[in-house]
Amino acid sequence: MSSSDIFIGETIGTAILILLGGGVCAAVTLKASKARNAGWLAITFGWGFAVLTAVYTSAPLSGAHLNPAVTLALAIKDGDWSNVPVYWAGQFLGAAMGATLVWVAYYGQFHAHLTDKEIVGGPGAQATATKAVEAQEKGAGPVLGVFSTGPEIRVPWQNLATEIVGTVVLVLAVLTQGLNDKGNGLGTLGALITSLVVVSIGLSLGGPTGYAINPARDLGPRIVHALLPLPNKGGSDWGYAWIPVVGPLIGGAIAAGIYNVAFA
């Protein structure tokens, strides 16, 4: 795979991943969406199908890492770091593009949601009005959860540990079951296995933090949230932003170490 193939494949694949994954979060969260309040099952399966679609689309070009933690783990496993910067650049760019496309697809719903007094409060709001869960989080605005993750209970060491554990599960599944014959990315069957593992992680471990398990998936859209001209969007919760970046990278490195000791 050439550097240009890797960059293009990761950009396209990660954009699709975030478009469909962030899209299901928008569908469930935003007022005037037909899927509003569809619940956690819709989100977990939506993200699983997003992984499946993104991997099948980008695998022929880049091997479909779509996650800096996966790229890091493969570099540790194989000892080849030459393409890590190219993979990461494509992943973060693609994540930002995908988040922007979510905004485009739900433009009217974002405006309706963020100008509704029951969501954002303000003069004229009913005394019993409740804000979205994200709005109650320190430093987070009412639609930040469409773009990036946040903890239900803010305990940094626990939040970090949750992201590490979830990523270890994901990356171990990729390394042991998901790789193609060349071992440099996900294979056809591996894509299906990995997407089901993502659903499982969401159902079992997603409750505390929203299971970023992917630095690009969280940081790229968080930057887009900070830059987009959304009314009453609130903060981007930068005080928490390091956890869904550092945690998955640590988890990917641990998983690679486990693989090299136990499976290689």
Side-chain angles (χ1 to χ4, degrees), residues 23 42 55 62 68 77 85 93 96 111 192 215 239 243:
V55 170
S62 66
K77 167 182 167 289
L93 175 61
H111 183 79
L192 177 60
I243 289 177

Side-chain angles (χ1 to χ4, degrees), residues 32-243:
S33 164
K34 293 182 183 296
R36 178 158 168 81
N37 295 325
W40 192 246
L41 280 176
I43 289 175
T44 54
F45 278 95
W47 273 103
F49 293 140
V51 171
L52 190 67
T53 306
V55 170
Y56 281 143
T57 302
S58 60
L61 283 175
S62 66
H65 294 190
L66 311 181
N67 183 338
V70 172
T71 301
L72 176 65
L74 287 171
I76 294 172
K77 167 182 167 289
D78 298 328
D80 182 2
W81 296 79
S82 58
N83 287 318
V84 169
V86 180
Y87 273 102
W88 284 9
Q91 289 156 3
F92 280 101
L93 175 61
M97 291 172 60
T100 303
L101 290 173
V102 172
W103 170 65
V104 171
Y106 282 88
Y107 178 84
Q109 281 74 21
F110 274 114
H111 183 79
H113 193 83
L114 290 173
T115 55
D116 190 307
K117 295 185 185 303
E118 291 188 357
I119 302 298
V120 299
Q126 296 179 3
T128 57
T130 58
K131 296 182 180 181
V133 171
E134 292 85 357
Q136 298 171 18
E137 284 288 342
K138 180 181 178 182
V143 296
L144 181 60
V146 173
F147 294 89
S148 55
T149 61
E152 287 298 296
I153 298 176
R154 195 172 294 257
V155 182
W157 71 263
Q158 178 209 339
N159 305 147
L160 183 66
T162 301
E163 289 294 329
I164 291 172
V165 170
T167 310
V168 168
V169 174
L170 171 65
V171 175
L172 271 180
V174 169
L175 295 179
T176 58
Q177 305 172 60
L179 295 182
N180 56 30
D181 292 339
K182 295 180 181 179
N184 60 4
L186 287 169
T188 302
L189 181 59
L192 177 60
I193 294 171
T194 302
S195 67
L196 293 174
V197 170
V198 170
V199 173
S200 177
I201 292 170
L203 292 174
S204 300
L205 300 173
T209 64
Y211 73 118
I213 57 175
N214 182 336
R217 170 265 176 276
D218 196 275
L219 182 58
R222 194 182 297 268
I223 293 171
V224 169
H225 174 270
L227 296 176
L228 282 176
L230 293 165
N232 303 313
K233 66 181 179 181
S236 300
D237 199 6
W238 290 108
Y240 180 79
W242 67 275
I243 289 177

Side-chain angles (χ1 to χ4, degrees), residues 15-26:
I16 291 172
L17 171 67
I18 302 305
L19 171 60
L20 298 181
V24 72
C25 292

